[in-house]
Amino acid sequence: MGLIQAVKGAVGGVLADQWKDFYTVPAGLPSTAALFAAVPQGTNAGRGSNTSGSSNIITNGSKIVVPEGYGLLLFQDGAITSFVAEPGGYEWRSDDLNSQSIFAGDGIVTPLIKQSWERFKFGGQPGGQQAAFFVSLKELPDNRFGTQSEIYWDDGFLNTQVGAITRGSYTLKIVDPILFVKNFVPAAYLQPGKVFDFTDMDNAAASQLFNEVVGSLAPAFSLYTNDPGKGNRITKLQQDSLGFAQSLSAAVEQGYQWKSDRGLAIVKTAIVSIEYDANTRELLKTVQRADALSGGRGNSNLQASVAQGIQSAGENGGAAGLVGVGMASGMFGAGNLQQPVAPAAPAADDTVAKLTKAKEMLDLGLITQDDYNALKAKALGL
């Protein structure tokens, strides 16, 4: 019975695998799907009869349509034999005995008799394996990262160590599909019906990437804030998603060689939140005050503060208070404040002012009549 079943299965399988097929993208794929098998469309709208072909054999003459944004990887007995990056329709041709078909012009003897004999030796199954897989060449979104406790890095602008809890997301791109499949994708995902998705936390390979990104955050923050080209400002992080993505990608590559070993790269980031630790928050407040008191605006603010202090000292402490304000002004550099420079007055106005001042001093009894006359003569050039 076993022999009869093997022969029956061998012949039936050969006949079923003679049909050409049409391979497409599976229905209902998530936007984050990275790698998945092309599926044969055995029936369509009630038409078509290819429902019994082998799942691991692609018949010569079958058509595979590659959509925009995807590449096509072809496998023969577990090895990658070809890669297509351009969209369009392609016809499958293989020298493998199991792919030959009377409908593809491969004759009658080889497709039927030889295939039956070969499959008989394998219990009715084809003695080969062929597969076609689509790989996404798009940016793959919604890859999230986050820290449960503070991470710390040296900040070049603040000139000290700072810490924060942060979370966000990034887009990922497969830049070398062959390297990606050979070095990173587990064999369990190179089967029909399986979908490799970076956002699937049940995917151990995807979880490993998450852990590596979290481990690269501190070096990425350090690279960003110590780059003179970015102004060394941590406050720019949330407004510069592309710049931080470059720093994060560089940190990941340096630590884990994503691009060179796995064919992966981080393209963009979106930082949802950064919660600085208490010391960093206080330090940032100090820097903000310093920024507000720098330049012309700071000079004006300091002048107003000194004037207010002089007024308060005059009201409360008299001369002693004024002396205290003078000392404080010297400590804070108020003596070097840039006072507004009045335009030079005409000579006639200056003479009148001098005589007016001398008359006031005479009326107050601060100078004598002779002193006034002398000042008057000097002012008038007599």
Side-chain angles (χ1 to χ4, degrees):
M1 180 67 70
L3 179 61
I4 295 175
Q5 290 294 330
V7 171
K8 179 180 178 182
V11 174
V14 168
L15 292 175
D17 287 338
Q18 296 302 301
W19 294 103
K20 295 180 181 181
D21 217 325
F22 185 83
Y23 286 79
T24 60
V25 174
L29 279 175
S31 61
T32 51
L35 180 75
F36 46 88
V39 294
Q41 192 121 349
T43 59
N44 183 21
R47 296 184 297 274
S49 303
N50 191 7
T51 59
S52 302
S54 301
S55 60
N56 60 342
I57 292 298
I58 302 176
T59 303
N60 280 345
S62 294
K63 189 173 183 179
I64 305 176
V65 175
V66 182
E68 289 281 358
Y70 292 92
L72 179 67
L73 285 165
L74 302 179
F75 291 78
Q76 174 71 47
D77 296 332
I80 297 175
T81 58
S82 184
F83 173 68
V84 176
E86 296 295 326
Y90 296 86
E91 183 178 300
W92 173 273
R93 298 298 303 183
S94 173
D95 293 333
D96 186 89
L97 177 65
N98 296 285
S99 289
Q100 296 183 16
S101 167
I102 57 176
F103 299 126
D106 294 321
I108 296 179
V109 175
T110 297
L112 294 177
I113 299 177
K114 288 187 176 180
Q115 282 186 30
S116 297
W117 172 243
E118 288 299 318
R119 294 191 186 197
F120 170 73
K121 291 190 282 187
F122 289 94
Q125 297 294 321
Q129 185 183 51
Q130 299 159 344
F133 278 80
F134 291 114
V135 58
S136 178
L137 303 179
K138 304 177 182 180
E139 286 186 43
L140 299 169
D142 204 29
N143 300 281
R144 302 184 181 184
F145 63 82
T147 59
Q148 295 181 344
S149 58
E150 289 88 355
I151 56 173
Y152 293 91
W153 67 94
D154 293 327
D155 190 287
F157 179 77
L158 298 177
N159 198 30
T160 188
Q161 188 181 72
V162 297
I165 296 175
T166 184
R167 62 188 180 90
S169 64
Y170 62 92
T171 63
L172 192 62
K173 192 167 186 179
I174 301 171
V175 294
D176 190 330
I178 295 176
L179 202 60
F180 170 65
V181 171
K182 281 190 172 183
N183 292 354
F184 190 68
V185 177
Y189 288 94
L190 298 177
Q191 302 292 333
K194 290 289 187 177
V195 176
F196 187 96
D197 191 333
F198 290 109
T199 64
D200 181 8
M201 296 312 294
D202 291 331
N203 181 345
S207 298
Q208 177 65 26
L209 294 182
F210 171 84
N211 294 331
E212 292 176 1
V213 168
V214 171
S216 301
L217 284 175
F221 281 125
S222 182
L223 284 173
Y224 186 90
T225 56
N226 289 284
D227 184 353
K230 296 180 174 60
N232 289 335
R233 289 299 186 107
I234 191 176
T235 52
K236 291 184 178 180
L237 275 171
Q238 288 174 283
Q239 292 78 38
D240 186 14
S241 60
L242 184 58
F244 181 68
Q246 293 171 348
S247 297
L248 182 58
S249 182
V252 167
E253 181 64 20
Q254 184 176 358
Y256 302 100
Q257 292 78 51
W258 276 21
K259 190 172 184 179
S260 56
D261 286 356
R262 300 169 179 171
L264 298 173
I266 293 174
V267 182
K268 294 184 180 69
T269 59
I271 298 179
V272 177
S273 68
I274 300 178
E275 301 174 12
Y276 301 108
D277 65 5
N279 292 336
T280 303
R281 288 197 299 270
E282 188 61 34
L283 187 59
L284 287 174
K285 288 180 182 178
T286 302
V287 171
Q288 288 172 348
R289 289 193 207 100
D291 287 345
L293 293 175
S294 64
R297 179 182 296 177
N299 191 38
S300 299
N301 290 339
L302 191 53
Q303 289 183 43
S305 299
V306 172
Q308 181 63 39
I310 292 174
Q311 180 179 349
S312 299
E315 294 173 353
N316 301 322
L322 290 173
V323 172
V325 171
M327 293 177 62
S329 299
M331 291 174 61
F332 290 100
N336 295 325
L337 293 178
Q338 298 175 355
Q339 300 292 345
V341 179
D349 292 343
D350 188 52
T351 301
V352 172
K354 288 181 180 180
L355 291 175
T356 301
K357 187 66 175 177
K359 185 63 171 65
E360 290 176 356
M361 295 173 69
L362 176 63
D363 293 341
L364 292 172
L366 298 176
I367 59 175
T368 65
Q369 184 65 43
D370 292 338
D371 293 332
Y372 173 74
N373 292 335
L375 289 171
K376 180 179 178 181
K378 182 178 181 181
L380 295 174
L382 300 176

